[in-house]
Amino acid sequence: MTRYVYRFGGDVSDGGQGDKNLLGGKGANLDGMASIGLPVPPGFTISTPVCALYYENGETFPDSLKAEVATGVAHIEGVTGKKFGDAADPLLVSVRSGARVSMPGMMDTVLNLGLNDATVVGLAETSGDARFAWDSYRRFIQMYSDVVLELDHGRFEEALEIAKEDRGYFLDTEMTADDWRKLVEEYKAIVVELWGKPFPQDVHDQLWGAIGAVFGSWQSERAKVYRRLNDIPGDWGTAVNVQAMVFGNMGDTSATGVAFTRDPATGENAYYGEFLINAQGEDVVAGIRTPQYLTRAAREKAGAKPLSMEEAMPEAYAELARVFDQLERHYRDMQDIEFTVERGKLWMLQTRSGKRTAKAALKIAVDMANEGLITRDEAILRVDPSALDQLLHPTLDPNAPRDVLTKGLPASPGAASGIAVFDSDTAEKRAAAGEAVILVRVETSPEDIHGMHAAKGILTARGGMTSHAAVVARGMGRPCVSGAGTLSIKASEGIMRIGTREVREGEVLTIDGSTGEVMLGAVPTIQPELAGDFGTLMAWADEVRRLKVRTNAETPLDCRTAREFGAEGIGLCRTEHMFFDAARITAVRQMILASDEAGRRAALEKLLPEQRSDFIEIFEVMVGLPCTIRLLDPPLHEFLPHEESEFEEVAKAAGLDVETLRRRAAELHEFNPMLGHRGCRLGVTYPEIYEMQARAIFEAACVVAEKSGAAPVPEVMIPLVGTKRELELMKTVVDRAAQAVFAERGRTIEYLVGTMIELPRAALRAGEIAEAGAFFSFGTNDLTQTTLGVSRDDAGRFLTTYVEKGIYSRDPFVSLDVEGVGELISIAAERGRATRPDIKLGICGEHGGDPASIAFCEQTGLDYVSASPYRVPIARLAAAQAALRAR
């Protein structure tokens, strides 16, 4: 019979050997901590396969699960000496989710389960603290009603606030046992009103309700959004962890906290975290109360008055510090820990590899390698290439004037400016319309995930540096300022106030997640410094990667940026982008609208010096490196004049009347320009266009060679080829231009002629096309369009739904469709090499900067990838990781 339940704690371990696929991350790490002798409350894990069965069987459980869960409960009872449901000395448990990878705040938790009208009295007597018992009961009713019964959470919060207001209290901790007892009665009345039935009193019913709710939360909207944003497969499922409760809310000798073994924002090797005395864990992570610092040094640095844990609970803190070191050595990574102190005794509730900023990830990886904790190869594999994006963009200019409104906690570094919005739906809508937004909330909840993703930055009035907003923002690479307590936010009115000043929705804010500052208006930025740990790790990566990394660039600025980021040449220079320049668009239109070769050549004579100048500037940056230049590939409609003034300008330049040009424009009209008269088809019908471009390329290369003594290596790429004959015809044009220029200049330059593979036919006929072409560059943007029959300009309307429904695992324009487009690339590579063993192969679509697509390129044996300038470092690291994983 299949086993579904695995026990841990109390010198019992049912196996799983830390298998996160089976036990989920939380369950595997609880088992791991227990196995190395750390103080872990006993419990059991319901494995991840049950989640899939739960949904396959219409949200019902396997028949054998009930008996296994009963065995698990008996295990907890045996270790604790308490009985589940015993009115005299009740066992209380927590029920938590635990997916294979961390999904902070995305799924549900229920604490204090096992309390009812009878057991609360027993808890009061055995604990000697009636206030604690009734506080725990009201927490349980509130959480269970929200998570399991799906009742309006706001009704319970409102009742609590009214109760405090009526008694003149400000803090929850001021409530007495009698106050909590009365609030419990109010809560139970709310349940009857909203649910139509009394709050469940049978503890076993409570347990199964909570287990079902945790499995159910795997398919919640927020969890699905998080999985989509983080590429987590929907069929992984979650485990459920049932564990004996320990209590941080049993008076001033009890506490709860969240901590990291190193600073997750900077990577500094210093304990980082927060705790609350007389509280439960949800109080810290939900941002309900602003917590205290873990260490004295952190408190003094922040200028905070409440004592740190190091000062207030020195013995428990000293034990916690020992646990930190033990966990780092055991897991060989920075750990994110949840702990509780119950009447002076430390208990470990969770450990996992902590989410961190890109800056911290680099520092931690490099430091741990230098400390000998991990190898250099492991350090390379530890850093998410996509996270480097956080480091590659500008930060606030420290010398720029700034109108500081307030200061909160520096929860996630980086800086962002945008219009203030006060709810996630608005953030998503305005961001989709092209606006930069700052999401401003009292506190974020998991339901805000879509707004946080859409926003450039996040600002909250409540919560600490381990609150939901902070953890999720760091994972997303969004700047975040949390706990800005001077903010008064009226989301329904679209306004926030700071003292006498106010900011309305739509006004521009700037936040600095590295300092916690909140500023009115936009603040200028400066370029990042990419040295130190970044330079070290990238040098290590370059030593192990096989794939070369080039850039997609057609301006000198882009070329210089890419070179600074380590680009090893140009993989795609789109020459049509050069033709849109205002100074030359008239000549381009004259060329297109000309009715004969003489007219086209007259226009091309004007364009030749401009093109030559373009290529000289690019080649000067790329001296000695390969430069793939794609000849003109415009859908013609993009260049045709539309306004009366544009027609008049072209008519004047060409010496023709406007009506003649209008008739010519009408003749050139296409119903489907993306599949029309473009690419090599333009060169076949009007070879003089490609002749001019080839001449400009070779003249520029000769000029740069004469100046510098080192020439670039032009790779002339013929676009949209579908047949060998097309490439042969265009290669003849290019070769003829090259020989003419070399004869005129008295020098020769090494060059190649090849093609962009962007049509399925070209991929399938690659063997014969390779007879004419010295290289293939896979244009995966168009190859994806032509293979899938999907326009990337219009696909946004439905591709999100396709990903949600599992038709594609990811947007195929973001990450390569390996099964379809990838198979065509593999076929083309194999057939091309069979004909020409030394053929050069690369990709130059947007996929060249996507780590998953780069891994495919490594597996397929391509020679290089080409990415936009700011994604070159991402590609370098991803290529190194792909090479390491292929060993």
Side-chain angles (χ1 to χ4, degrees):
M1 185 177 71
T2 304
R3 178 173 203 155
Y4 296 124
V5 170
Y6 296 81
R7 300 170 298 167
F8 58 83
D11 297 324
V12 172
S13 175
D14 283 337
Q17 287 80 44
D19 183 356
K20 293 183 179 181
N21 294 347
L22 178 69
L23 303 177
K26 192 188 298 282
N29 290 335
L30 284 168
D31 185 73
M33 285 196 295
S35 70
I36 60 173
L38 296 185
V40 176
F44 61 89
T45 300
I46 304 173
S47 61
T48 57
V50 177
C51 188
L53 292 171
Y54 178 74
Y55 285 105
E56 286 171 14
N57 298 329
E59 299 187 12
T60 60
F61 298 109
D63 293 339
S64 62
L65 188 63
K66 193 164 189 176
E68 286 195 67
V69 167
T71 301
V73 171
H75 163 65
I76 302 174
E77 291 175 332
V79 176
T80 61
K82 298 175 183 288
K83 291 289 183 184
F84 192 47
D86 180 8
D89 188 12
L91 167 66
L92 304 186
V93 298
S94 63
V95 182
R96 300 172 186 260
S97 64
R100 295 189 198 183
V101 295
S102 175
M103 294 173 59
M106 294 303 114
M107 289 180 293
D108 289 329
T109 292
V110 179
L111 304 179
N112 305 319
L113 191 143
L115 281 172
N116 58 28
D117 293 349
T119 58
V120 69
V121 176
L123 182 64
E125 291 176 359
T126 55
S127 66
D129 187 344
R131 185 197 173 282
F132 149 72
W134 286 99
D135 178 24
S136 298
Y137 193 18
R138 71 91 190 173
R139 289 171 182 269
F140 173 53
I141 295 173
Q142 187 169 344
M143 187 175 280
Y144 196 90
S145 298
D146 176 26
V147 170
V148 182
L149 306 184
E150 298 182 342
L151 306 183
D152 180 7
H153 179 71
R155 286 291 302 275
F156 298 92
E157 281 291 323
E158 183 182 10
L160 172 57
E161 292 303 315
I162 291 170
K164 289 194 295 185
E165 197 174 293
D166 288 348
R167 293 162 176 79
Y169 300 156
F170 181 69
L171 298 172
D172 295 2
T173 49
E174 296 174 83
M175 295 279 280
T176 66
D178 195 50
D179 294 332
W180 287 131
R181 186 184 296 112
K182 288 174 182 174
L183 188 62
V184 163
E185 292 306 314
E186 287 187 52
Y187 276 9
K188 285 158 62 180
I190 292 171
V191 171
V192 171
E193 177 193 341
L194 298 181
W195 197 41
K197 291 184 284 187
F199 186 81
Q201 295 292 307
D202 186 297
V203 296
H204 295 284
D205 288 346
Q206 293 174 359
L207 177 60
W208 285 101
I211 291 170
V214 172
F215 279 134
S217 66
W218 177 255
Q219 293 294 2
S220 67
E221 219 31 61
R222 63 179 186 260
K224 286 194 278 191
V225 169
Y226 190 90
R227 288 201 297 273
R228 186 173 73 247
L229 296 179
N230 292 279
D231 299 319
I232 299 170
D235 59 2
W236 277 7
T238 181
V240 174
N241 300 285
V242 179
Q243 190 174 19
M245 283 293 301
V246 287
F247 298 96
N249 58 333
M250 294 186 77
D252 291 343
T253 60
S254 300
T256 189
V258 175
F260 295 80
T261 56
R262 304 191 187 211
D263 189 322
T266 66
E268 181 187 359
N269 192 358
Y271 303 147
Y272 174 102
E274 299 167 323
F275 85 116
L276 279 171
I277 291 174
N278 196 18
Q280 288 200 328
E282 292 301 301
D283 297 346
V284 180
V285 298
I288 295 167
R289 286 166 56 187
T290 299
Q292 296 156 238
Y293 288 91
L294 198 67
T295 66
R296 177 179 177 175
R299 177 186 71 78
E300 290 176 345
K301 184 179 178 182
K305 292 182 179 177
L307 292 179
S308 67
M309 185 180 178
E310 185 178 8
E311 297 162 300
M313 295 181 159
E315 291 180 4
Y317 172 81
E319 186 182 356
L320 183 64
R322 288 192 294 273
V323 168
F324 281 175
D325 295 341
Q326 190 174 351
L327 285 173
E328 257 207 8
R329 287 195 305 273
H330 180 73
Y331 287 106
R332 301 164 64 248
D333 196 7
M334 182 265 277
Q335 294 296 291
D336 170 1
I337 294 159
E338 290 181 21
F339 65 90
T340 286
V341 179
E342 181 181 278
R343 291 179 170 171
K345 178 171 173 54
L346 177 69
W347 291 97
M348 304 307 298
L349 304 183
Q350 174 173 292
T351 191
R352 60 189 174 192
S353 291
K355 290 193 177 296
R356 63 207 76 180
T357 63
K359 180 180 179 182
L362 283 167
K363 180 167 180 54
I364 290 168
V366 171
D367 283 355
M368 285 187 167
N370 289 334
E371 292 163 16
L373 197 61
I374 60 176
T375 65
R376 285 187 176 185
D377 286 355
E378 286 175 309
I380 292 167
L381 291 167
R382 283 281 170 90
V383 179
D384 176 5
S386 297
L388 292 181
D389 209 26
Q390 295 176 36
L391 300 177
L392 306 178
H393 294 282
T395 52
L396 294 185
D397 182 349
N399 299 316
R402 46 183 83 186
D403 181 1
V404 179
L405 295 170
T406 187
K407 191 170 183 180
L409 300 172
S412 182
S417 297
I419 58 169
V421 298
F422 296 93
D423 68 271
S424 288
D425 290 343
T426 303
E428 191 172 49
K429 284 176 190 168
R430 297 194 74 159
E435 295 179 281
V437 303
I438 303 295
L439 178 63
V440 183
R441 302 286 281 154
V442 174
E443 61 196 12
T444 63
S445 72
E447 280 72 23
D448 287 313
I449 184 73
H450 60 297
M452 296 175 76
H453 182 253
K456 296 293 184 186
I458 298 137
L459 169 63
T460 69
R462 292 209 300 241
M465 291 188 292
T466 52
S467 65
H468 173 267
V471 171
V472 174
R474 280 196 295 270
M476 287 182 169
R478 301 289 187 277
C480 177
V481 174
S482 65
T486 59
L487 296 184
S488 172
I489 297 170
K490 299 282 187 186
S492 58
E493 299 172 21
I495 191 169
M496 75 176 192
R497 293 187 178 87
I498 308 99
T500 58
R501 304 184 71 180
E502 63 180 40
V503 176
R504 294 186 173 274
E505 184 171 294
E507 291 189 65
V508 175
L509 286 176
T510 297
I511 63 169
D512 188 336
S514 301
T515 65
E517 287 184 322
V518 181
M519 294 143 277
L520 187 64
V523 178
T525 57
I526 56 173
Q527 293 299 318
E529 293 278 336
L530 296 176
D533 297 318
F534 176 87
T536 299
L537 191 81
M538 296 310 291
W540 294 350
D542 290 341
E543 288 173 9
V544 300
R545 69 179 164 90
R546 183 193 62 82
L547 280 165
K548 297 290 186 183
V549 177
R550 302 193 196 178
T551 188
N552 300 339
E554 45 273 336
T555 68
L557 175 60
D558 280 351
C559 290
R560 283 192 293 272
T561 302
R563 291 286 284 127
E564 288 168 7
F565 286 151
E568 298 163 301
I570 293 177
L572 175 62
C573 175
R574 306 173 179 93
T575 56
E576 60 274 4
H577 288 193
M578 303 169 174
F579 283 61
F580 282 106
D581 185 270
R584 62 187 78 169
I585 188 67
T586 300
V588 174
R589 286 169 172 162
Q590 179 186 344
M591 172 189 75
I592 290 170
L593 292 171
S595 56
D596 56 23
E597 183 177 338
R600 283 189 293 278
R601 287 195 178 275
L604 289 167
E605 282 298 315
K606 301 176 188 176
L607 290 170
L608 175 61
E610 302 277 4
Q611 276 273 270
R612 182 171 57 239
S613 175
D614 292 331
F615 293 133
I616 288 172
E617 289 184 317
I618 288 171
F619 290 160
E620 283 176 339
V621 181
M622 294 288 174
V623 163
L625 297 174
C627 297
T628 304
I629 312 295
R630 183 175 73 184
L631 299 187
L632 196 62
D633 181 24
L636 289 184
H637 71 286
E638 292 181 6
F639 288 111
L640 292 176
H642 300 286
E643 305 294 330
E644 184 67 26
S645 59
E646 294 171 345
F647 274 107
E648 289 172 357
E649 202 172 344
V650 177
K652 183 178 177 183
L656 298 169
D657 63 88
V658 170
E659 273 311 306
T660 300
L661 290 181
R662 283 191 180 282
R663 283 196 299 274
R664 177 64 177 149
E667 291 169 9
L668 293 173
H669 171 74
E670 295 180 312
F671 288 102
N672 194 343
M674 293 305 294
L675 297 178
H677 194 187
R678 54 171 284 214
C680 68
R681 299 159 191 171
L682 196 66
V684 168
T685 48
Y686 308 132
E688 56 273 13
I689 297 175
Y690 280 8
E691 178 190 314
M692 179 278 289
Q693 288 194 288
R695 172 170 278 277
I697 290 168
F698 296 121
E699 287 180 354
C702 288
V703 168
V704 172
E706 287 162 10
K707 280 186 187 177
S708 66
V713 182
E715 298 178 348
V716 183
M717 183 160 70
I718 312 300
L720 214 70
V721 161
T723 70
K724 173 187 172 184
R725 182 61 179 152
E726 286 170 317
L727 182 56
E728 284 176 335
L729 289 170
M730 294 302 95
K731 184 175 186 300
T732 300
V733 171
V734 172
D735 288 342
R736 190 187 304 128
Q739 296 312 310
V741 171
F742 296 161
E744 292 163 14
R745 296 278 176 167
R747 72 163 55 231
T748 60
I749 300 290
E750 179 190 351
Y751 74 95
L752 302 175
V753 179
T755 185
M756 181 178 272
I757 303 290
E758 51 196 320
L759 297 175
R761 189 185 197 283
L764 295 172
R765 306 305 299 169
E768 61 188 41
I769 291 173
E771 293 172 9
F775 69 87
F776 289 165
S777 180
F778 293 97
T780 53
N781 298 344
D782 268 356
L783 187 57
T784 298
Q785 289 194 112
T786 54
T787 301
L788 303 184
V790 172
S791 164
R792 67 172 171 162
D793 298 318
D794 301 313
R797 299 174 188 174
F798 61 85
L799 270 182
T800 300
T801 305
Y802 266 51
V803 173
E804 286 174 355
K805 293 184 180 297
I807 297 170
Y808 297 123
S809 59
R810 286 187 68 189
D811 182 335
F813 292 105
V814 173
S815 194
L816 197 68
D817 165 37
V818 172
E819 294 175 347
V821 178
E823 185 166 356
L824 285 171
I825 292 173
S826 298
I827 289 168
E830 182 182 339
R831 294 179 181 177
R833 284 197 175 116
T835 298
R836 187 187 292 262
D838 64 344
I839 193 167
K840 190 180 289 188
L841 302 173
I843 72 165
C844 60
E846 289 304 308
H847 300 98
D850 169 60
S853 304
I854 291 168
F856 168 81
C857 294
E858 173 67 31
Q859 292 163 11
T860 311
L862 302 191
D863 298 302
Y864 69 87
V865 297
S866 187
S868 57
Y870 279 96
R871 295 191 73 82
V872 166
I874 295 171
R876 287 166 65 195
L877 182 56
Q881 292 182 350
L884 288 172
R885 289 179 178 128
R887 286 180 179 175

